[in-house]
Amino acid sequence: MSTQLLTNPTAKPPEPPPPDPPRITEEEAALQEADAEAEKKDARIQALESEVVALKAEIKARSKPEVNNEVANENKPAKETESTTWQTFEVTAYTSGYSSTGKSRNDADYGITASGERAVEGRTLACPPSLPFGTKVNIEGIGERVCEDRGGAIQEGHLDLYMTSESEALSFGRRNLSAEITD
């Protein structure tokens, strides 16, 4: 008992110290940190999705590019040419390999495009940022491809076809071809 209580019977006993804050395990701390990171990533994804919507609206609002009637008339009947817009693009080809992407087969994201899709020959196309992922492009003599990838060298007026064979991609070279945005 306190000496003060012995000398002063009306004195109150001292307050106990506050309890220690709850302790969490390393696993709980890691989970809290992972949850915080996931929330940040979710917010970033929402911001990017909003940006994509805005970019799609901006692209639709832009005036349609000039029609390349020479090439369009060669490939389409006159009736269709009036309602479609053809542009000339520099078209090249790339692969998932190191020389095209800087990735090796051991990399976790080898063969994965900027849109998150796996690259597929006959479908995947790397496009400039002005064309949103999912945009369909009909390329003269090639057919329809879907914009699923980006690339450091892919600027306006340039399209890059995905191919599985490096030798075929190299032999494709650089070609100026007409293309139309179909969707």
Side-chain angles (χ1 to χ4, degrees):
M1 226 183 207
S2 162
T3 56
Q4 188 177 19
L5 283 176
L6 292 175
T7 59
N8 183 357
T10 60
K12 292 184 181 176
E15 292 288 324
D20 289 336
R23 297 183 188 259
I24 60 173
T25 66
E26 286 182 30
E27 285 180 8
E28 291 171 325
L31 284 172
Q32 286 178 354
E33 189 174 316
D35 285 345
E37 284 297 315
E39 286 179 18
K40 286 180 187 176
K41 288 180 180 179
D42 286 345
R44 179 69 177 139
I45 288 169
Q46 288 178 343
L48 288 171
E49 286 173 343
S50 296
E51 189 176 331
V52 166
V53 169
L55 286 171
K56 283 183 177 180
E58 180 182 328
I59 288 170
K60 284 184 179 180
R62 288 184 188 171
S63 63
K64 294 187 177 182
E66 227 176 273
V67 173
N68 183 341
N69 285 323
E70 287 178 31
V71 176
N73 286 332
E74 292 172 12
N75 297 314
K76 299 285 182 185
K79 190 166 129 185
E80 286 186 34
T81 303
E82 293 170 8
S83 64
T84 60
T85 302
W86 290 83
Q87 302 174 65
T88 300
F89 286 88
E90 178 181 40
V91 182
T92 54
Y94 76 107
T95 69
S96 293
Y98 187 83
S99 61
S100 291
T101 64
K103 299 175 190 175
S104 64
R105 288 191 181 273
N106 298 340
D107 292 337
D109 56 353
Y110 180 84
I112 303 299
T113 65
S115 67
E117 298 291 326
R118 179 160 296 283
V120 176
E121 186 167 357
R123 182 189 76 201
T124 302
L125 181 66
C127 303
S130 63
L131 296 176
F133 292 137
T135 300
K136 294 179 181 173
V137 181
N138 183 19
I139 304 170
E140 162 196 13
I142 304 292
E144 189 173 80
R145 298 293 186 269
V146 180
C147 184
E148 296 179 328
D149 210 356
R150 300 280 186 244
I154 309 304
Q155 304 298 318
E156 295 304 315
H158 186 180
L159 301 172
D160 209 8
L161 298 168
Y162 174 77
M163 295 184 171
T164 54
S165 165
E166 186 168 359
S167 62
E168 287 179 23
L170 289 171
S171 67
F172 184 86
R174 294 181 179 277
R175 301 180 188 181
N176 288 321
L177 299 175
S178 292
E180 66 174 334
I181 311 305
T182 58
D183 183 29

